[in-house]
Amino acid sequence: MSYTAPLKDMLFVMNELAGLAQVNALPGCEDATPETVEAILEENAKFCGEVVAPLNHTADKEPSYWADGKVTTSKGFKEAFQQFGQAGWQGVQHPVEFGGQGLPKLVATPCIEMLNSANLSFALCPLLTDGTIEALMTAGSAEQQQTYLANFISGKWTGTMNLTEPQAGSDLALVRTRAQPQGDGTFKLFGTKIFITYGEHDMAENIVHLVLARTPDAPEGVKGISLFVVPKFLVNADGSLGERNDVHCVSIEHKLGIKASPTAVLQFGDHGGAIGTLVGEENRGLEYMFIMMNAARFAVGIQGLSVAERAYQQAAAYARDRVQSRDLAGSPGPVAIIHQPDVRRMLMSMRAQVEGARALAYVAAAASDAAHHHPDEATRKQNQAFYEYLVPVVKGWSTELSIDVTSTGVQVHGGMGFIEETGAAQYYRDARILTIYEGTTAIQANDLVGRKTARDGGAVARDIIAQVRKTAAELDASGDAKLEAIALRLNESAAALEEVVGFVVANIKSDIKAVFAGSVTYLKMAGLVLGGWQMARAAAIAAGKLKAGEGDTQFYSAKLATARFFADQILPQALAYRTAIVDGAESVMALSEDQF
Amino acid sequence: MSYTAPLKDMLFVMNELAGLAQVNALPGCEDATPETVEAILEENAKFCGEVVAPLNHTADKEPSYWADGKVTTSKGFKEAFQQFGQAGWQGVQHPVEFGGQGLPKLVATPCIEMLNSANLSFALCPLLTDGTIEALMTAGSAEQQQTYLANFISGKWTGTMNLTEPQAGSDLALVRTRAQPQGDGTFKLFGTKIFITYGEHDMAENIVHLVLARTPDAPEGVKGISLFVVPKFLVNADGSLGERNDVHCVSIEHKLGIKASPTAVLQFGDHGGAIGTLVGEENRGLEYMFIMMNAARFAVGIQGLSVAERAYQQAAAYARDRVQSRDLAGSPGPVAIIHQPDVRRMLMSMRAQVEGARALAYVAAAASDAAHHHPDEATRKQNQAFYEYLVPVVKGWSTELSIDVTSTGVQVHGGMGFIEETGAAQYYRDARILTIYEGTTAIQANDLVGRKTARDGGAVARDIIAQVRKTAAELDASGDAKLEAIALRLNESAAALEEVVGFVVANIKSDIKAVFAGSVTYLKMAGLVLGGWQMARAAAIAAGKLKAGEGDTQFYSAKLATARFFADQILPQALAYRTAIVDGAESVMALSEDQF
């Protein structure tokens, strides 16, 4: 159950598909030279593999626990988190002025992948802190930034996101937590928040909660929600810790997976009011939270990729190791099960999905960097639109496939996969939250359909599809039969996706239910086609390298075969999705409520 | 988390699709009149719903546990099992001469479905006992039958299947347990068996193990394996219990799911030898075990259906109950989430798969009855071939879909689905073993490809596909647009399946690895097409009833819409599978071992 970071594939994707050199050429990204990046990744891989990964299974067996309002995290977490902070890993993508390394998102992304592969439960704490940093960078006052950011980035303090309440899950309009102004610039908060990841723990000196709440005269619904920063310990003017604030963890959840990550129920204001300060302007809380959530959604997409990669590594190791049955050619004795075609099919399916998800996510990260740093405004805008289209796809598709990949990982192990000691089952349990938190797949799909596709009449979607077709045309004209085979599948699926985009745009006004009946299917289809696109690009590059006799032949031939597998075995599902979306809406809403 | 047996759908499938009247007309099946059957099902539904279902979640929280060689089962199991035995439920399909009810498999099948929906862990004990009864009925001596069968059927004793050893999982050729003849007709057994379901427990007076082992001069491999019956307590000549036999439970597994079902490691012969008697002839053990396994495989297919049904019921109830967000038409306030199109899509997808799996399984059960009881030999043979083709499909497809359906059930619950207290997560965990035990999906697929398709040159498969096409033609000629829409999808998928059968038959000799690279995909495809076929038949019947204004309009209109959903949203995957199998084999075996 060890974890070895797939550095070779990460660097290939960064260099060849996501364009690290172009990112490095952007103003403000000068430090991200290929040599520096490789050194950072190697160091991170070492830390994740040696310090964090060994805690994954042990922490699952002995999860974090609650007693008398305090949460004790799993053995080793506290020490590992201290090392994490001291080594500067929290600050990879954050501003130098607050102690970060100020590196591009493209460089932070593989680091996040590695940490999550090593230990999903552990990685959630930094993940939430990243979101908090992002929100305060965008909307926090200079004082708030001064008070909190350096402490987050050094790993001294951690951050949380407090959105959900018992009656307000996907629908934040229903938030009821109250914030009472005290006349001195502070507010007192009262309410209950649930599902708060690392809402209480013992890994840091202070825990800083970003909390959605309503001021007394706030309008109803989502337009009356403000964002507050509420630290567990109040912070004195000199930056030292003051009194204990009135926010208390009353319990943590008993969950299917990510058991070492404490999921808290937080009670605000039961003893007079939890003191907080407003972030940005009143009633704009949801807007700020969305900034934070977009970063967090992308990161959860990476979590899907991460746990899938870990499951793949363990399954491949087991398949090489486990001897059972002869091979089909009739070997003299039993052979390792990796010789069996169905085991191969399972491993290839895991591998192809992982590589496709990685390529798409890293390409999205590079677009985010260009959107922030490119000197040309039109290019910035174009990259921003591309990135925004991809965020729900990366979040939704990578997490949905992680359920499939981790389930296949269990299957490769046979009966041993069902025994908790083996470890494969943990990935299957852990992965199951990923399609739910930070917005369910349906919520991502609403975003993809509404804001990302219908709003501009499908313009961005069609631009992207045109790029897919361009790749397909290049492969088709390559004269290489293997690339032509991939081009065929890519073209078919791109055409199907184009049809679906047309369906969404044409029907969003006249038959909104029919469009949303296919929203998740559209999201999964977009993931397939765009993941398939990146695999096709990778195949073309690999074929070129092989032809030129350059580089690592084993790596490139594997890449080519994996891309071919993706094209033949995975991509054709896009056509079935097309039928489901375009022709299949009628039956979705056909039953009355009491017919269920 | 209550369970209400879907009696309406069960009776519809039995009467309209599986032909209960025809089964009732078979010699030996005269007792299975529609009235009797309905009464039995209602009584069973009551027992399962009231006695067994309430123990499902509590037992998951407090699983069976091992101490000092003894297993204490979860609270309430012992009493429920006594009631189960006393009410005669173990005997539904077993011979009247040993105290059973001698009813057809078609009648036993819904009873097995209900018990497993109520409590998968509990139901495993009777399921294994059924297999033991089947094996002794086929191959046991008169004395063995006399000693054991009535005690099994009354629920006084239970049975187990002992196949797996640490080095011998899917590959039984590697079995090492030894059986030493004692010269008095008995044998002493020595060895370790693992993964023995209900290998030790406190619910019955005696536990009777059927054990695969090798006699001293047995040939190597699968042709040297014999079957032995080894009771926990030896049985005296008068039928009373004698000495404790030398078979001991040294531990039980800590598992992902079905936690209340004790999975034992059994040690045979550590204190001088476990005394057993040979079943049937020496070296024919695997053959007998296959009889038992075929029954058990079909039953595990039912388990897939069962847990999927239970997950569906809970998800539908939650969706009706949970209020969150406005509806798309812009309701004044938030509505129950069942109004959201994506929740509908999820529920319909669960429902359609459950109904398809039920229909296919019950039709298979009826074929088994005809294969046993029909007076005409040719009809018996034809039904036997049909049933045998369906066994791996029912086992493999129903269990694979149960993972998807129970996962969707978690998703419908959102964040609450991830909390163990909700109960949805238990189905997701429990279901995960079903594609593994009693032969993994790959093992089922080997059977489907080898014995069931290639051996007769695809004759039986093509016969079945011809029946599918006949149904499609009927729907197509109905003049009913809804049925025509279903016919279109059914025809497409039947053509694809036919192509795949052709591919299997044409390549099995020349390119066996290419065929087996697609074996599981072929199995899933066969499930889809044949499940879709049954849903299409159901749709035609429902449309007829609606047209005639007969019966339950709500039920028939729901059936029609669900069949349409299956056709548009699920069946098109068959075309993607075709591509994967026929065009996609090349990449499956392309990597060398060290490229993984």
Side-chain angles (χ1 to χ4, degrees):
Chain A
M1 281 181 280
S2 63
Y3 165 68
T4 308
L7 289 177
K8 218 175 255 183
D9 196 51
M10 289 174 156
L11 289 167
F12 170 80
V13 172
M14 292 172 83
N15 287 316
E16 306 288 346
L17 300 180
L20 176 59
Q22 289 93 306
V23 169
N24 183 208
L26 294 169
C29 300
E30 295 81 359
D31 288 350
T33 63
E35 298 70 36
T36 307
V37 169
E38 201 170 328
I40 291 172
L41 263 56
E42 277 171 9
E43 201 56 39
N44 192 270
K46 225 176 119 181
F47 174 73
C48 292
E50 291 174 8
V51 178
V52 186
L55 303 176
N56 190 50
H57 190 57
T58 54
D60 181 65
K61 283 195 290 190
E62 297 187 26
S64 298
Y65 63 92
W66 179 97
D68 295 330
K70 290 196 165 61
V71 170
T72 306
T73 52
S74 299
K75 205 174 153 191
F77 270 39
K78 193 173 173 175
E79 295 72 20
F81 188 71
Q82 273 167 355
Q83 286 188 55
F84 175 82
Q86 282 159 8
W89 295 121
Q90 184 76 59
V92 175
Q93 61 184 320
H94 299 302
V96 174
E97 99 180 82
F98 297 106
Q101 302 184 46
L103 288 163
K105 194 178 184 81
L106 178 57
V107 180
T109 299
C111 294
I112 293 172
E113 182 194 324
M114 287 185 253
L115 192 68
N116 278 285
S117 284
N119 196 325
L120 218 51
S121 284
F122 179 85
L124 274 164
C125 189
L127 191 155
L128 270 295
T129 304
D130 278 341
T132 317
I133 294 169
E134 197 105 15
L136 290 182
M137 283 296 300
T138 311
S141 65
E143 196 189 330
Q144 285 167 334
Q145 293 183 357
Q146 219 52 51
T147 307
Y148 295 110
L149 293 183
N151 285 316
F152 284 147
I153 288 171
S154 69
K156 251 176 88 178
W157 299 355
T158 68
T160 73
M161 291 167 66
N162 289 242
L163 290 74
T164 306
E165 300 177 7
Q167 79 294 344
S170 294
D171 185 4
L172 293 170
L174 304 176
V175 158
R176 280 190 209 140
T177 296
R178 291 180 302 115
Q180 202 72 41
Q182 299 301 299
D184 63 350
T186 68
F187 290 75
K188 280 195 171 174
L189 278 84
F190 303 88
T192 306
K193 294 286 181 180
I194 63 168
F195 295 160
I196 309 307
T197 300
Y198 279 92
E200 177 59 33
H201 64 84
D202 58 359
M203 285 155 47
E205 292 174 14
N206 204 2
I207 302 171
V208 180
H209 307 291
L210 288 191
V211 186
L212 291 183
R214 292 180 186 284
T215 53
D217 306 320
E220 287 281 296
V222 292
K223 295 199 167 143
I225 297 176
S226 304
L227 183 64
F228 298 87
V229 54
V230 182
K232 176 179 170 185
F233 290 100
L234 296 174
V235 185
N236 298 322
D238 66 355
S240 64
L241 293 186
E243 260 178 74
R244 181 71 166 82
N245 204 354
D246 185 14
V247 47
H248 296 278
C249 174
V250 295
S251 64
I252 64 173
E253 306 291 352
H254 174 51
K255 308 189 300 295
L256 171 63
I258 53 164
K259 293 187 181 189
S261 161
T263 303
V265 178
L266 292 184
Q267 201 65 36
F268 291 83
D270 266 10
H271 309 281
I275 293 166
T277 54
L278 181 68
V279 177
E281 296 172 28
E282 237 174 284
N283 299 330
R284 289 182 62 186
L286 214 60
E287 201 180 305
Y288 307 140
M289 202 52 114
F290 263 108
I291 295 164
M292 175 167 172
M293 263 162 57
N294 261 327
R297 282 174 176 185
F298 179 80
V300 172
I302 302 298
Q303 291 195 303
L305 158 61
S306 297
V307 70
E309 165 72 33
R310 183 82 184 257
Y312 166 71
Q313 288 193 14
Q314 182 166 336
Y318 186 81
R320 270 193 296 260
D321 208 48
R322 169 74 171 168
V323 171
Q324 195 76 180
S325 304
R326 286 155 206 255
D327 72 15
L328 285 175
S331 52
V335 295
I337 61 171
I338 200 167
H339 288 268
Q340 304 300 338
D342 189 61
V343 172
R344 283 296 176 100
R345 182 192 59 78
M346 290 195 278
L347 291 177
M348 288 300 292
S349 144
M350 298 173 82
R351 178 188 177 93
Q353 293 185 75
V354 166
E355 291 186 12
R358 177 177 297 123
L360 190 62
Y362 286 18
V363 164
S368 170
D369 289 324
H372 280 94
H373 299 287
H374 202 281
D376 176 50
E377 197 194 330
T379 308
R380 280 202 306 276
K381 268 191 154 167
Q382 198 186 9
N383 276 283
Q384 183 64 26
F386 180 54
Y387 176 67
E388 285 187 358
Y389 185 89
L390 289 184
V391 167
V393 176
V394 167
K395 200 288 185 183
W397 178 58
S398 302
T399 59
E400 291 283 345
L401 71 80
S402 78
I403 298 176
D404 179 66
V405 170
T406 54
S407 176
T408 304
V410 172
Q411 190 72 18
V412 170
H413 286 80
M416 287 308 294
F418 201 63
I419 306 300
E420 285 288 1
E421 193 52 38
T422 308
Q426 184 189 346
Y427 310 131
Y428 177 70
R429 288 188 286 98
D430 284 354
R432 195 63 197 79
I433 189 59
L434 303 179
T435 61
I436 296 173
Y437 67 16
E438 295 301 334
T440 62
T441 307
I443 297 287
Q444 307 304 323
N446 288 350
D447 183 37
L448 183 67
V449 165
R451 276 183 292 273
K452 310 297 170 64
T453 303
R455 187 182 281 176
D456 70 356
V460 167
R462 288 198 183 97
D463 273 359
I464 298 172
I465 295 168
Q467 294 180 57
V468 177
R469 284 186 179 287
K470 195 163 156 276
T471 298
E474 285 162 11
L475 267 67
D476 202 36
S478 66
D480 179 328
K482 285 178 183 176
L483 297 181
E484 285 166 16
I486 293 172
L488 169 72
R489 299 295 164 211
L490 188 59
N491 254 327
E492 278 176 2
S493 68
L497 184 59
E498 199 153 33
E499 198 181 338
V500 165
V501 168
F503 173 83
V504 167
V505 172
N507 293 285
I508 190 87
K509 291 237 166 69
S510 57
D511 194 357
I512 189 168
K513 287 197 172 183
V515 171
F516 281 92
S519 61
V520 165
T521 312
Y522 166 39
L523 180 148
K524 290 203 258 185
M525 187 184 181
L528 279 185
V529 176
L530 301 183
W533 171 36
Q534 297 307 324
M535 290 303 283
R537 292 182 61 211
I541 292 160
K545 300 272 188 188
L546 288 169
K547 212 169 166 185
E550 277 173 24
D552 186 338
T553 310
Q554 287 288 81
F555 177 81
Y556 291 121
S557 68
K559 181 61 82 178
L560 192 54
T562 306
R564 178 71 185 275
F565 184 94
F566 197 109
D568 287 342
Q569 299 258 352
I570 298 175
L571 207 41
Q573 282 178 22
L575 309 187
Y577 287 156
R578 187 217 67 86
T579 304
I581 298 165
V582 175
D583 299 335
E586 194 179 316
S587 58
V588 174
M589 302 298 292
L591 268 59
S592 67
E593 253 182 76
D594 53 5
Q595 281 179 304
F596 283 94
Chain B
M1 281 181 281
S2 63
Y3 166 67
T4 308
L7 288 176
K8 219 175 255 183
D9 196 52
M10 288 173 157
L11 288 167
F12 169 80
V13 172
M14 291 173 83
N15 288 315
E16 305 289 347
L17 300 180
L20 176 61
Q22 289 91 305
V23 169
N24 183 209
L26 294 169
C29 300
E30 295 82 0
D31 288 349
T33 65
E35 299 71 35
T36 307
V37 168
E38 201 169 329
I40 291 172
L41 262 56
E42 278 170 8
E43 201 56 41
N44 192 270
K46 226 176 117 181
F47 173 74
C48 292
E50 293 173 8
V51 178
V52 186
L55 303 176
N56 190 49
H57 189 56
T58 54
D60 181 63
K61 282 195 290 189
E62 297 188 26
S64 299
Y65 64 90
W66 179 96
D68 294 331
K70 288 195 164 61
V71 171
T72 306
T73 52
S74 299
K75 207 175 152 189
F77 269 38
K78 191 173 175 173
E79 296 73 18
F81 188 72
Q82 273 166 358
Q83 286 187 55
F84 175 82
Q86 281 158 10
W89 296 121
Q90 184 76 59
V92 175
Q93 62 184 320
H94 300 301
V96 175
E97 94 179 88
F98 296 106
Q101 301 183 46
L103 287 162
K105 192 177 186 81
L106 178 57
V107 180
T109 300
C111 295
I112 293 171
E113 182 193 327
M114 288 184 254
L115 192 69
N116 279 286
S117 283
N119 196 324
L120 217 53
S121 283
F122 180 85
L124 275 164
C125 189
L127 190 155
L128 270 294
T129 304
D130 278 342
T132 318
I133 293 168
E134 197 104 14
L136 289 183
M137 283 295 301
T138 312
S141 65
E143 196 189 330
Q144 285 168 333
Q145 293 183 357
Q146 218 52 50
T147 307
Y148 295 110
L149 292 183
N151 285 317
F152 284 147
I153 289 171
S154 69
K156 251 176 88 179
W157 299 354
T158 67
T160 73
M161 289 166 67
N162 290 243
L163 290 75
T164 306
E165 301 177 8
Q167 79 295 345
S170 295
D171 184 4
L172 293 170
L174 304 177
V175 158
R176 280 190 209 140
T177 297
R178 292 179 302 116
Q180 202 71 40
Q182 299 300 301
D184 62 352
T186 68
F187 290 75
K188 280 194 172 174
L189 278 83
F190 304 89
T192 305
K193 293 287 182 179
I194 63 167
F195 295 162
I196 309 308
T197 300
Y198 279 93
E200 177 59 33
H201 63 84
D202 58 358
M203 285 155 48
E205 292 173 16
N206 204 1
I207 302 170
V208 180
H209 307 291
L210 289 191
V211 186
L212 291 182
R214 294 183 186 281
T215 52
D217 305 320
E220 286 283 297
V222 292
K223 297 203 166 139
I225 297 176
S226 304
L227 183 65
F228 297 87
V229 55
V230 181
K232 176 179 169 185
F233 290 100
L234 297 174
V235 185
N236 298 323
D238 65 356
S240 64
L241 294 186
E243 261 178 74
R244 181 72 167 82
N245 204 355
D246 184 15
V247 47
H248 296 279
C249 174
V250 294
S251 64
I252 65 173
E253 305 292 350
H254 173 51
K255 307 190 299 295
L256 171 63
I258 55 164
K259 294 187 181 190
S261 161
T263 304
V265 177
L266 292 184
Q267 200 65 36
F268 291 83
D270 266 10
H271 308 283
I275 293 166
T277 55
L278 182 68
V279 178
E281 295 172 28
E282 237 174 283
N283 298 331
R284 289 184 62 188
L286 215 59
E287 198 181 308
Y288 307 140
M289 201 51 112
F290 263 108
I291 295 163
M292 173 169 175
M293 263 162 54
N294 261 328
R297 283 174 175 186
F298 179 81
V300 172
I302 302 299
Q303 290 195 304
L305 159 62
S306 296
V307 71
E309 166 72 33
R310 183 84 185 257
Y312 167 71
Q313 289 192 14
Q314 181 166 335
Y318 186 81
R320 270 193 297 260
D321 208 48
R322 169 74 171 168
V323 172
Q324 195 76 179
S325 305
R326 287 154 205 256
D327 72 14
L328 285 175
S331 54
V335 295
I337 60 170
I338 200 169
H339 287 267
Q340 304 300 337
D342 189 61
V343 172
R344 284 297 177 98
R345 182 192 58 78
M346 288 193 279
L347 292 177
M348 288 300 293
S349 143
M350 297 172 83
R351 179 188 176 91
Q353 293 185 73
V354 166
E355 290 185 14
R358 178 177 295 123
L360 190 62
Y362 287 18
V363 163
S368 169
D369 289 324
H372 280 95
H373 298 289
H374 202 282
D376 175 51
E377 196 194 331
T379 308
R380 280 203 304 278
K381 269 192 154 167
Q382 196 184 13
N383 276 284
Q384 183 64 25
F386 181 54
Y387 176 68
E388 285 186 359
Y389 185 89
L390 289 183
V391 167
V393 177
V394 166
K395 200 290 184 180
W397 179 59
S398 303
T399 59
E400 290 282 344
L401 71 81
S402 78
I403 297 176
D404 179 65
V405 170
T406 54
S407 176
T408 305
V410 171
Q411 189 72 17
V412 170
H413 286 80
M416 288 306 296
F418 200 65
I419 306 298
E420 285 288 0
E421 193 53 38
T422 308
Q426 185 189 344
Y427 310 131
Y428 177 69
R429 288 188 286 99
D430 284 354
R432 196 61 197 79
I433 189 59
L434 304 179
T435 60
I436 297 173
Y437 66 18
E438 294 303 333
T440 63
T441 308
I443 298 287
Q444 307 304 320
N446 287 350
D447 183 37
L448 183 68
V449 165
R451 277 181 292 271
K452 309 299 169 64
T453 303
R455 187 182 282 174
D456 70 358
V460 167
R462 289 200 183 95
D463 272 358
I464 298 173
I465 295 169
Q467 293 181 57
V468 177
R469 285 186 179 285
K470 195 163 157 276
T471 297
E474 286 162 12
L475 267 68
D476 202 35
S478 67
D480 179 327
K482 286 178 181 177
L483 297 181
E484 286 165 18
I486 294 172
L488 169 72
R489 301 292 165 212
L490 189 60
N491 255 326
E492 277 176 3
S493 68
L497 184 59
E498 199 153 32
E499 199 181 336
V500 165
V501 168
F503 173 83
V504 167
V505 172
N507 292 285
I508 189 87
K509 292 238 167 69
S510 57
D511 193 357
I512 189 169
K513 286 196 173 184
V515 170
F516 280 92
S519 61
V520 165
T521 312
Y522 166 38
L523 180 149
K524 291 204 257 185
M525 186 184 183
L528 278 186
V529 177
L530 302 182
W533 169 37
Q534 296 307 323
M535 290 303 283
R537 291 182 61 211
I541 292 160
K545 300 273 185 187
L546 288 168
K547 211 170 169 183
E550 277 172 25
D552 186 338
T553 309
Q554 287 288 80
F555 177 82
Y556 291 121
S557 68
K559 181 60 83 178
L560 192 53
T562 306
R564 178 71 185 275
F565 183 95
F566 197 109
D568 287 342
Q569 299 258 354
I570 299 175
L571 207 40
Q573 282 178 23
L575 307 189
Y577 288 156
R578 186 217 68 87
T579 303
I581 298 165
V582 175
D583 298 335
E586 193 179 317
S587 59
V588 174
M589 303 298 292
L591 268 59
S592 67
E593 252 182 76
D594 53 6
Q595 281 178 304
F596 282 94

